[in-house]
Amino acid sequence: MTNDNLVQKNSIALPLDQLKYDAAGLIPAVIQDSRSGAVLMVGYMNRESLRRTVESGRVWFWSRSRQKFWLKGESSGNFFTVCSICADCDADALLVKVTLEGSGVACHTGRYSCFFNLLHEAAPAGGEGMHHG
Amino acid sequence: MTNDNLVQKNSIALPLDQLKYDAAGLIPAVIQDSRSGAVLMVGYMNRESLRRTVESGRVWFWSRSRQKFWLKGESSGNFFTVCSICADCDADALLVKVTLEGSGVACHTGRYSCFFNLLHEAAPAGGEGMHHG
């Protein structure tokens, strides 16, 4: 896999200081496995955690619950190594493509991805959808 | 492609009413192309837009800028058809896998994905990284 696969061909370079943070100084960061394409989790970064992420090459979040910087993998060893970081058209959300270190799982529950809670699934063509709640 | 490919094998059914919304009653929704795996955009849903999404099979957001319900594609024709909706381990973020209708692009700029602003790209093995700002 080359880096050409990691970003859209028509991507535009954007300076980090052009990002828009919310009232709490945060921006949501979607973490995607660059190899499988799976979405692993959503975390939040502030200006400093993004700076640490770029500088170290590993993903740093701002933990909203603990109100502190959080190096993903600092306790589990399951670090995220950064491949690319893109902002969206409004510059108020990030997409971070990563490779997984350690045991290769992203979720603190031991699952590969944090998105394991199935809320709704569309019906296969002609069938009935699964619909909880 | 079968629906088995759309959700993790160890997924757990979660009722919609177990979701955690933020102080503004919103939850971020990561939109992923179920065919390519590309992350297309991040939008926000409230309880009612999620209800409309499940009921209609097309993605409805809450527009924070316009403070109104927003059927994605209502003006462009580029609707998102829902394949599956999963919540993360904390139940405070959604992953919505979709197929694209209309011209097959997600972004209002005409690009396939909204994540076209490249902030940072890791160096290929042994090289120097691209780093703006």
Side-chain angles (χ1 to χ4, degrees):
Chain A
M1 184 178 62
T2 69
N3 275 19
D4 288 344
N5 294 332
L6 293 176
V7 293
Q8 288 194 77
K9 297 231 181 299
N10 56 357
S11 66
I12 296 168
L14 186 79
L16 287 176
D17 60 9
Q18 297 297 302
L19 292 178
K20 291 173 201 149
Y21 298 87
D22 70 11
L26 300 176
I27 188 167
V30 179
I31 309 296
Q32 184 178 30
D33 186 332
S34 67
R35 290 171 175 152
S36 72
V39 175
L40 302 175
M41 62 176 288
V42 171
Y44 291 83
M45 293 185 178
N46 57 18
R47 208 176 293 265
E48 170 63 13
S49 62
L50 181 57
R51 190 194 67 75
R52 293 185 188 192
T53 297
V54 169
E55 190 169 293
S56 70
R58 282 176 166 173
V59 171
W60 280 83
F61 294 115
W62 175 256
S63 168
R64 298 177 304 169
S65 56
R66 292 180 291 150
Q67 289 285 301
K68 56 181 284 197
F69 291 104
W70 166 32
L71 170 62
K72 178 71 176 80
E74 64 191 345
S75 56
S76 64
N78 299 329
F79 302 99
F80 291 155
T81 301
V82 175
C83 297
S84 64
I85 307 175
C86 287
D88 68 353
C89 50
D90 297 326
D92 62 1
L94 299 177
L95 174 61
V96 184
K97 297 193 181 182
V98 303
T99 53
L100 292 92
E101 297 179 57
S103 59
V105 302
C107 187
H108 73 287
T109 64
R111 292 178 178 85
Y112 169 56
S113 163
C114 293
F115 289 97
F116 58 82
N117 287 306
L118 181 62
L119 293 166
H120 175 77
E121 197 169 12
E128 270 293 304
M130 177 177 165
H131 179 180
H132 302 275
Chain B
M1 184 178 60
T2 70
N3 275 19
D4 288 343
N5 294 331
L6 293 176
V7 293
Q8 289 193 77
K9 298 233 179 297
N10 55 357
S11 65
I12 297 168
L14 186 79
L16 287 176
D17 61 9
Q18 297 298 302
L19 292 178
K20 291 174 202 149
Y21 298 87
D22 69 11
L26 300 177
I27 189 167
V30 178
I31 309 296
Q32 184 179 29
D33 186 332
S34 68
R35 290 170 176 153
S36 71
V39 175
L40 301 174
M41 62 176 287
V42 171
Y44 291 83
M45 292 185 178
N46 58 19
R47 209 176 294 265
E48 170 63 13
S49 62
L50 181 57
R51 191 194 67 75
R52 294 185 186 191
T53 297
V54 169
E55 190 169 293
S56 70
R58 282 177 168 172
V59 171
W60 281 83
F61 294 114
W62 175 257
S63 169
R64 297 177 303 168
S65 55
R66 293 179 291 150
Q67 288 285 302
K68 57 181 284 197
F69 291 106
W70 166 31
L71 171 61
K72 177 71 176 83
E74 65 191 344
S75 57
S76 65
N78 299 328
F79 301 100
F80 292 154
T81 301
V82 175
C83 298
S84 65
I85 307 175
C86 288
D88 68 353
C89 48
D90 297 326
D92 62 0
L94 299 177
L95 175 61
V96 184
K97 298 193 183 184
V98 303
T99 52
L100 292 94
E101 298 179 56
S103 59
V105 302
C107 186
H108 73 287
T109 64
R111 292 177 178 85
Y112 169 55
S113 162
C114 293
F115 288 97
F116 58 82
N117 287 307
L118 180 61
L119 292 165
H120 175 78
E121 197 169 11
E128 271 292 305
M130 177 177 163
H131 179 182
H132 301 278

